[in-house]
Amino acid sequence: MSAANPAPTAGSRRMPEKRQAIARAASTVFGREGYTRASVDAIATEAGVSKRTIYNHFGDKEKLFLSVALETAGELTEIVAALADRHLHKIVDLEADLIAFAVDRAKAVLAAGEHYALGRTIRAEAGNIPPDVLNAWLAAGPLASHRDLAAHLVRLAGQDLLTVDDPDLAATHFTLLTFSGAADQSFYGAVPISDAALHITVSTGVQAFLRLYRRTAPRPAGA
């Protein structure tokens, strides 16, 4: 079985609560100790199970890490997608709505606790994590959110609110301008960032983004 396609064993289907306990413990230990230092022994102790039970449910450390990483990435992706739908589906004030989305996105991601601790681990140890695990996490998390944001920006361009020639680049610019600074200030969620500091970072970022992408002239007739 490929590490990118972990599957539950028959035992895990019979005891989903034990599998969940292992996943929670793994998220805690991987987030605290990192991928390389975390041991199956430590995860077993945290979960209150034997090493054999972990191997029966997940196969090995790599598959366990992948399973937990995909679950947490998927949960955060769903949260961010819901925020984008809430704030960007119907625009009342373009700047204010973009700021509201970016603030809520940063708060949700940076306050995700052990969920985001795992993301910090992946970023810090990318060179030590198996490539298929890293790529699967990227696809389920950051890249999925990136594509969703790009689609929203395209829709706003279709409403003559933005000029977007390259949706991928526009989404990259939006994230760099409105999220990356807040992530740096909080050391990727490891320390708190004040609401005031977050709002300043996001507001100035959105204003810079709109200087690049806001449509300032009506679309020519027939365009």
Side-chain angles (χ1 to χ4, degrees):
M1 182 190 303
S2 167
N5 294 286
T9 64
S12 71
R13 288 193 290 270
R14 288 196 299 269
M15 297 185 295
E17 69 284 351
K18 185 164 290 188
R19 185 181 178 88
Q20 291 167 10
I22 295 168
R24 286 193 300 269
S27 181
T28 298
V29 174
F30 282 128
R32 182 180 67 227
E33 300 183 15
Y35 176 76
T36 303
R37 291 179 56 196
S39 68
V40 176
D41 281 321
I43 295 168
T45 298
E46 182 78 21
V49 301
S50 68
K51 287 175 62 176
R52 175 52 54 192
T53 298
I54 291 179
Y55 292 134
N56 286 342
H57 281 275
F58 292 94
D60 57 28
K61 175 180 169 179
E62 181 179 324
K63 292 186 179 70
L64 173 57
F65 184 81
L66 175 61
S67 179
V68 173
L70 292 183
E71 180 180 355
T72 56
E75 289 174 356
L76 278 178
T77 297
E78 290 178 3
I79 290 170
V80 172
L83 291 173
D85 286 340
R86 180 192 310 169
H87 291 295
L88 305 180
H89 180 71
K90 183 177 181 181
I91 297 296
V92 176
D93 179 309
L94 180 59
E95 181 175 329
D97 291 337
L98 288 173
I99 289 173
F101 162 65
V103 166
D104 281 355
R105 176 175 72 161
K107 285 183 176 180
V109 174
L110 297 178
E114 290 177 357
H115 284 46
Y116 203 55
L118 205 63
R120 289 196 300 271
T121 291
I122 291 171
R123 288 177 171 85
E125 296 192 53
N128 298 321
I129 294 172
D132 55 345
V133 174
L134 187 62
N135 290 333
W137 174 77
L138 284 170
L143 292 179
S145 289
H146 181 83
R147 288 192 296 269
D148 184 65
L149 174 59
H152 279 285
L153 297 180
V154 168
R155 188 173 50 77
L156 296 181
Q159 297 172 10
D160 289 342
L161 296 171
L162 300 173
T163 298
V164 176
D165 297 323
D166 185 335
D168 180 71
L169 182 60
T172 297
H173 284 160
F174 187 86
T175 296
L176 287 173
L177 291 166
T178 66
F179 178 77
S180 296
D184 288 342
Q185 290 178 62
S186 69
F187 294 90
Y188 282 86
V191 298
I193 179 174
S194 70
D195 287 348
L198 177 59
H199 196 274
I200 289 172
T201 298
V202 167
S203 296
T204 55
V206 167
Q207 290 160 8
F209 176 81
L210 289 178
R211 282 195 288 273
L212 290 171
Y213 289 100
R214 188 196 290 269
R215 183 179 291 279
T216 57
R219 183 177 295 180

